[in-house]
């Protein structure tokens, strides 16, 4: 059997790659270890609720997101979050405070100290940083002050990376922020200048809105899989290995769902699985080189979907609540998906998504279901302050050992090694969230770029 392109991994990156490759007339095969498609991205209908096992919302941060939904509009509809989702709550001492969204609220908020409020006003005149490996935490403290680090950036990085701001270099983890300082000398001046830049019609599709798919992200995955075609996706396909052929191209071997050995040849092979899976998939790469790729650190995350039947007048009208590490809570954050999107819970009910673990607490992956249930139950009353008669109706625990890659200093060497391998082995593409961004919009962009290439 011969294919134009073989994609390993049927998550968002793999399916988007396969979708565009097929759309441009290529003969595609997707090889997936699990017995379902979607990777981290799965929705579950449990009782009257829709829970996401992985991502809950993305940002339309590039045109590729809008374009993908447009191509798939017969099968899935983009769901834009309600305006109230712009509100983010931050825990300080005994309760929540709204994260400031403009200069007025930044002056009145109890989240930042008076000294740092003045510091924020002086940000445009602060000196540009010179250390390319300066961590997000160091840069924030230098430009905006310690309380801004503790009560804005630390919880933000927990929410996005499940990470620690003192471990992530800004250049690698938040390149847009890094470039604002480097190009314009200031975040504030840079943001104002960027907003004034003229945009192409295509750029305007990057609306920066928060999105999901109507009925949950599982519907986006199902739509992609439908277009790729069931016959082109090998599920429960184990132990794939790639072998370069002497005259160019590759042989890809795997064991199918019936235990039969399958061999397929191709000119182009794209890996989209995590760095930890690559040593066995690409055994022809020397250990010293592979180590530079597979040493990527991942933050584990436990996500818990919670359905509550009757919260009557206690609904939170916000995107979610975050708990700064300084506040020493067992929860990183709690999202309110039913506050953002319709159809996720019954009328008087609510869905919540608890985020737990992260780079600071990997040991929590080993907590028992009972421990998580106790934590969620306690949090409903001690953190969310629901009355004692508000109880969990449904609950599902999703454990992700390799949830979010941490783009630390080793990334430079990883990217250089990948570039070098890809030029020595034409047709081999090492993709996925080990590079190019951790969010869904990044994954769609990468898949669209690779799938549309010749
Ligand atoms: C809990 C959680 C919450 C998140 N929240 C958000 C969010 O709110 N917003 C956002 O933008 N992003 C979020 N993300 C990130 C987002 O989910 C990812 O960017 C995206 O889903 C990754 O897609 P992917 O295809 O690159 O990887 P994956 O989804 O990991 O897909 C890789 C696929 O490869 C398969 N695979 C692995 N090894 C092999 C092998 N040896 N052979 C064959 N197949 C293999 C896996 O089974 C999997 O299906 C979150 C992630 C997690 C875990």
């Amino acid at each position: 059997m011969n294919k134009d392109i073989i994609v390993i991994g049927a998550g968002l990156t793999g399916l988007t790659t396969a979708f565009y490759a097929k759309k441009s007339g290529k003969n595609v095969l997707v090889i997936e270890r699990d017995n379902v498609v979607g990777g981290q991205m799965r929705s579950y209908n449990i009782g009257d609720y829709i829970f996401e096992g992985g991502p809950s919302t993305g940002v339309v941060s590039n045109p590729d997101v809008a374009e993908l939904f447009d191509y798939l509009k017969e099968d899935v509809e983009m769901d834009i979050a309600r305006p109230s989702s712009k509100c983010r709550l931050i825990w300080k001492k005994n309760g929540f405070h709204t994260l400031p969204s403009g200069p007025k609220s930044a002056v009145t908020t109890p989240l930042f100290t008076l000294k740092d409020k003045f510091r924020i006003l002086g940000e445009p005149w602060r000196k540009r940083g010179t250390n390319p490996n300066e961590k997000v935490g160091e840069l924030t403290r230098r430009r905006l002050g310690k309380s801004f680090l503790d009560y804005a950036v630390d919880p933000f990085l927990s929410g996005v990376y499940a990470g620690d701001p003192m471990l992530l270099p800004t250049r690698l983890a938040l390149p847009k922020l890094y470039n604002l300082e480097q190009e314009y000398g200031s975040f504030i001046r840079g943001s104002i200048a960027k907003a004034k830049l003229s945009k192409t019609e295509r750029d305007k599709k990057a609306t920066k809105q928060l999105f999901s798919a109507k009925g949950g992200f599982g519907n986006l995955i199902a739509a992609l899989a439908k277009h790729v075609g069931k016959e082109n996706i090998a599920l429960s396909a184990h132990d794939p290995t790639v072998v370069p052929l002497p005259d160019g191209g590759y042989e890809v071997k795997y064991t199918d769902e019936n235990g039969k050995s399958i061999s397929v040849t191709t000119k182009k092979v794209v890996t989209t699985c995590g760095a930890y899976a690559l040593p066995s998939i690409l055994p022809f790469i020397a250990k010293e080189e592979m180590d530079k790729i597979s040493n990527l650190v991942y933050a584990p995350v436990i996500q818990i979907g919670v359905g509550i039947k009757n919260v009557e007048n206690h609904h939170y009208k916000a995107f979610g609540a975050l708990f700064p590490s300084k506040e020493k809570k067992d929860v990183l954050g709690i999202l309110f998906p039913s506050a953002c999107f319709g159809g996720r819970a019954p009328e008087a009910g609510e869905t919540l998504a608890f985020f737990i673990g992260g780079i600071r607490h990997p040991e929590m992956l080993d907590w028992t279901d009972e421990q998580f249930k106790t934590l969620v139950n306690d949090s409903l009353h001690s953190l969310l302050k629901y009355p004692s008669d508000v109880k969990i109706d449904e609950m599902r625990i999703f454990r992700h050992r390799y949830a979010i890659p941490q783009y630390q200093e080793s990334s430079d060497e990883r990217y250089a090694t990948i570039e070098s391998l890809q030029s020595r082995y034409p047709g081999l593409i090492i993709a996925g969230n080990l590079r190019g961004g951790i969010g869904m919009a990044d994954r769609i962009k990468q898949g669209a770029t690779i799938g549309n290439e010749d």
Side-chain angles (χ1 to χ4, degrees):
M1 194 173 23
N2 184 46
K3 295 279 174 185
D4 296 327
I5 172 168
I6 293 180
V7 179
I8 302 181
L12 181 61
T13 313
L15 289 177
T16 307
T17 305
F19 168 78
Y20 281 105
K22 182 156 180 254
K23 195 169 159 296
S24 58
K26 296 195 185 75
N27 192 354
V28 178
L29 174 66
V30 181
I31 295 175
E32 168 57 50
R33 166 188 73 175
D34 282 353
N35 61 0
V36 285
V37 290
Q40 295 182 335
M41 217 162 151
R42 297 201 192 151
S43 309
Y44 298 81
N45 287 283
I46 312 271
D48 295 330
Y49 309 93
I50 297 174
F51 294 152
E52 298 285 7
S56 300
T57 48
V59 181
V60 187
S61 56
N62 60 48
D64 305 81
V65 176
E67 285 165 359
L68 181 65
F69 272 93
D70 208 32
Y71 283 126
L72 297 171
K73 64 176 178 245
E74 306 277 299
D75 299 292
V76 62
E77 200 183 325
M78 188 190 273
D79 205 357
I80 297 295
R82 294 180 182 124
S84 59
S85 64
K86 289 206 171 84
C87 171
R88 276 122 216 267
L89 304 172
I90 306 286
W91 183 273
K92 187 171 183 183
K93 297 207 171 107
N94 299 312
F96 291 122
H97 302 278
T98 304
L99 186 70
S101 54
K104 200 171 152 213
S105 49
V107 172
T108 54
T109 181
L111 290 172
F112 312 139
T113 60
L114 187 63
K115 188 174 151 217
D116 286 346
K117 287 175 187 172
F118 281 109
R119 207 176 164 77
I120 294 167
L121 293 175
E123 193 275 341
W125 296 277
R126 205 134 290 127
K127 261 181 27 198
R128 197 186 310 251
T130 51
N131 173 9
N133 289 326
E134 186 179 38
K135 308 295 185 291
V136 178
E138 294 165 338
L139 172 133
T140 313
R141 206 165 43 197
R142 177 170 60 75
R143 293 204 74 84
L144 300 163
K146 171 99 168 56
S147 62
F148 195 85
L149 166 61
D150 289 341
Y151 287 97
V153 170
D154 170 286
F156 166 76
L157 271 203
S158 271
V160 175
Y161 268 93
D164 179 344
M166 298 317 277
L167 296 178
L168 294 166
T170 318
R171 176 175 58 86
L172 297 159
L174 299 175
K176 285 184 187 158
L177 190 75
Y178 179 78
N179 290 335
L180 275 187
E181 193 196 26
Q182 291 305 305
E183 285 171 30
Y184 299 93
S186 143
F187 304 149
I188 295 175
R189 273 193 283 133
S191 307
I192 295 169
K194 282 238 153 176
K196 285 187 190 152
L197 290 179
S198 65
K199 286 186 178 154
T200 63
E201 281 310 306
R202 184 164 190 264
D203 288 343
K204 285 183 194 160
K205 294 181 188 172
T207 57
K208 311 283 190 270
Q209 288 167 300
L210 285 181
F211 76 97
S212 179
K214 277 255 153 68
F217 278 120
N219 289 337
L220 172 61
I221 291 297
L224 280 168
K226 178 182 158 190
H227 283 259
V228 172
K230 222 171 147 190
E231 64 288 2
N232 299 317
I233 304 174
L235 294 176
S236 304
H238 292 284
D239 307 320
T241 52
V242 176
V243 181
L245 296 171
D247 299 328
Y250 299 88
E251 180 186 16
V252 180
K253 295 189 223 172
Y254 64 95
T255 308
D256 77 3
E257 56 189 342
N258 303 314
K260 198 171 142 205
S261 291
I262 307 286
S263 162
V264 194
T265 54
T266 185
K267 285 201 185 69
K268 188 166 176 175
V269 60
V270 183
T271 67
T272 68
C273 41
Y276 52 87
L278 292 176
S280 68
I281 295 175
L282 304 172
F284 61 93
I285 295 176
K287 186 176 179 312
E288 310 81 71
E289 276 194 299
M290 182 50 84
D291 284 350
K292 291 176 186 160
I293 303 176
S294 62
N295 65 0
L296 178 57
V297 172
Y298 287 79
V301 172
I302 304 98
Q303 177 164 343
I304 307 183
V306 177
I308 300 174
K309 232 187 212 143
N310 203 331
V311 272
E312 296 289 353
N313 301 319
H314 302 285
H315 285 284
Y316 279 92
K317 290 198 172 66
F319 173 75
L322 290 164
F323 300 89
S325 57
K326 207 174 152 61
E327 296 290 328
K328 303 212 179 315
K329 299 290 172 205
D330 282 335
V331 179
L332 297 173
I334 306 170
L335 299 187
F336 309 123
S338 54
C340 299
F341 305 107
R344 307 288 170 119
E347 189 77 358
E350 183 165 71
T351 52
L352 304 170
F354 281 67
F355 287 83
I356 295 164
I359 200 75
R360 289 189 177 101
H361 293 290
E363 76 288 351
M364 291 179 90
L365 259 187
D366 300 323
W367 275 30
T368 62
D369 290 5
E370 243 351 272
Q371 281 176 293
F372 285 126
K373 193 165 183 184
T374 306
L375 174 63
V376 168
N377 240 327
D378 290 349
S379 306
L380 289 184
H381 310 295
S382 62
L383 301 178
L384 297 177
K385 316 260 194 232
Y386 287 149
S388 56
D389 60 334
V390 168
K391 300 246 176 322
I392 299 172
D393 182 28
E394 295 282 0
M395 182 177 131
R396 286 293 181 283
I397 301 169
F398 308 100
R399 290 176 166 82
H400 299 269
R401 182 167 294 281
Y402 300 104
I404 315 278
Q406 307 290 297
Y407 295 161
Q408 299 175 354
E409 267 108 326
S410 63
S411 302
D412 288 325
E413 211 171 33
R414 181 170 311 104
Y415 303 154
T417 307
I418 291 172
E419 288 306 321
S420 157
L421 284 165
Q422 290 183 169
S423 66
R424 276 180 286 145
Y425 295 98
L428 170 68
I429 299 183
I430 299 174
N433 64 3
L434 52 83
R435 64 186 173 114
I438 59 164
M440 282 179 285
D442 305 312
R443 304 292 84 240
I444 291 173
K445 183 177 177 171
Q446 191 185 59
T449 307
I450 300 168
N452 281 319
E453 276 166 7
D454 283 338

